[in-house]
Amino acid sequence: MLSASSDCAEDDEFLTQVTSRLRERFDADLALAGRVHPRTRQLTIRCVEGMSTDQYLGATSAPDQGIGAQVVALGRHVMTVNRDTHARAGAGGTGLMDCHAGICSVLAVPLRLDGRVMFVLYLAWRPEKSVGAATTKAALSFVRQLESFAAQAAKTHGIDVPRRWNVDSRALLQIDSELMQLSLEVAATPARERVAAIRSLLEDSVLASMAGEEATTVALTRRELDVLGLVAEGLSNAETAERLVVSPETVKAYLRTIRSKLGVRNRTAAVAVARRSGLLR
């Protein structure tokens, strides 16, 4: 069994890969990743891409501080935009919008496993870059695919964190590594852009394949989807029962079956898996 320090090292390796690709794919000026403590829910920045100093590395935030904490509490992304780069606006305790880099837009996205927010990923841009709805949607889609990939890896290898998210794709990742090296060696901009496009296609294929594998294992009835949909809206068992005109015990029975089918332990995880699988929107 891996030690706690080894676990963190492997988490950091995973986060380094993710933040690097996020920053590159979405042309962000900065990309950061924070790890959420499973008990205290404190967020600690473990990886930073795009800065010459390590001023944010190791920074922490309390469960009620910054947009990182909002992401953990809400279980969804948070976008902050402030054209006044002199204004203070904390991002998970890191103060991204108050740094010398002149950041004005920050997108913070949760990365979940088994329904729990385990990491928070940040993308940050300077004022001269336009961050529209299309960029946000694409980034969220990428992270959702990554969640499915991590969930499949965890399920396959019996682990609790996505530390070995690439273990089933060694050949493809070796190709990606070769392409990355090639992009550093070529000087012509068009050639580098073609290499970057090939890397993104390769990455999308791997992630989509893993997401598809997870989705094919899930089969819920129409009634089960009705129950889970109401649960996803935040309704209690009693409220769900009233809405569907059934007894609370019937709702509990449906939820037991849903959890069993999805291979999770609680309703939050069931909602998360169903969303990743495309069963819920």
Side-chain angles (χ1 to χ4, degrees):
M1 186 172 178
L2 294 171
S3 66
S5 60
S6 178
D7 287 356
C8 288
E10 289 168 332
D11 286 354
D12 290 347
E13 181 181 355
F14 166 76
L15 292 175
T16 297
Q17 295 179 60
V18 170
T19 51
S20 177
R21 290 302 288 143
L22 278 170
R23 182 178 175 232
E24 182 179 353
R25 284 183 64 123
F26 300 104
D27 193 28
D29 293 295
L30 294 177
L32 303 89
R35 188 174 190 272
V36 180
H37 191 283
R39 182 175 55 81
T40 66
R41 311 309 287 165
Q42 177 175 276
L43 182 64
T44 303
I45 300 300
R46 302 296 304 175
C47 183
V48 179
E49 290 280 335
M51 291 197 69
S52 57
T53 66
D54 293 333
Q55 70 180 91
Y56 292 145
L57 202 59
T60 62
S61 67
D64 59 349
Q65 180 183 38
I67 66 171
Q70 292 179 46
V71 169
V72 176
L74 299 173
R76 60 172 176 79
H77 74 280
V78 175
M79 182 76 179
T80 300
V81 179
N82 192 336
R83 294 298 175 185
D84 179 4
T85 57
H86 297 291
R88 301 182 63 89
T94 63
L96 283 177
M97 293 188 185
D98 193 43
C99 74
H100 66 276
I103 294 300
C104 77
S105 303
V106 179
L107 173 65
V109 185
L111 195 155
R112 308 176 191 82
L113 187 64
D114 196 20
R116 291 186 298 130
V117 177
M118 296 192 64
F119 306 104
V120 176
L121 308 175
Y122 299 89
L123 289 173
W125 296 267
R126 295 188 178 94
E128 59 269 22
K129 292 185 179 178
S130 176
V131 185
T135 299
T136 300
K137 183 177 180 180
L140 296 178
S141 177
F142 181 83
V143 174
R144 282 196 296 268
Q145 287 182 315
L146 187 60
E147 283 182 336
S148 296
F149 195 112
Q152 283 295 103
K155 185 184 298 182
T156 300
H157 300 285
I159 58 178
D160 292 327
V161 296
R163 61 179 71 100
R164 295 177 63 185
W165 69 290
N166 57 1
V167 72
D168 291 321
S169 309
R170 290 175 181 169
L172 291 174
L173 290 174
Q174 185 175 356
I175 294 171
D176 180 72
S177 179
E178 292 293 332
L179 288 170
M180 180 176 66
Q181 185 60 40
L182 180 61
S183 71
L184 298 176
E185 295 173 2
V186 297
T189 299
R192 297 184 69 171
E193 289 177 347
R194 288 179 65 187
V195 171
I198 293 171
R199 289 186 69 201
S200 293
L201 285 170
L202 178 67
E203 189 172 57
D204 287 343
S205 297
V206 174
L207 293 177
S209 174
M210 294 294 284
E213 288 180 19
E214 184 178 27
T216 58
T217 63
V218 176
L220 299 181
T221 66
R222 180 68 263 171
R223 199 58 163 171
E224 289 165 351
L225 288 172
D226 289 341
V227 169
L228 195 56
L230 293 174
V231 169
E233 293 178 14
L235 274 65
S236 66
N237 288 352
E239 291 169 332
T240 299
E242 183 178 356
R243 185 78 65 86
L244 297 177
V245 196
V246 297
S247 71
E249 291 303 318
T250 298
V251 171
K252 290 180 183 178
Y254 275 123
L255 287 173
R256 283 195 296 270
T257 302
I258 291 168
R259 291 197 302 269
S260 176
K261 286 184 176 182
L262 299 180
V264 297
R265 293 186 295 271
N266 57 60
R267 55 200 283 149
T268 302
V271 169
V273 169
R275 280 177 171 156
R276 285 201 305 266
S277 302
L279 298 172
L280 292 178
R281 297 300 178 186

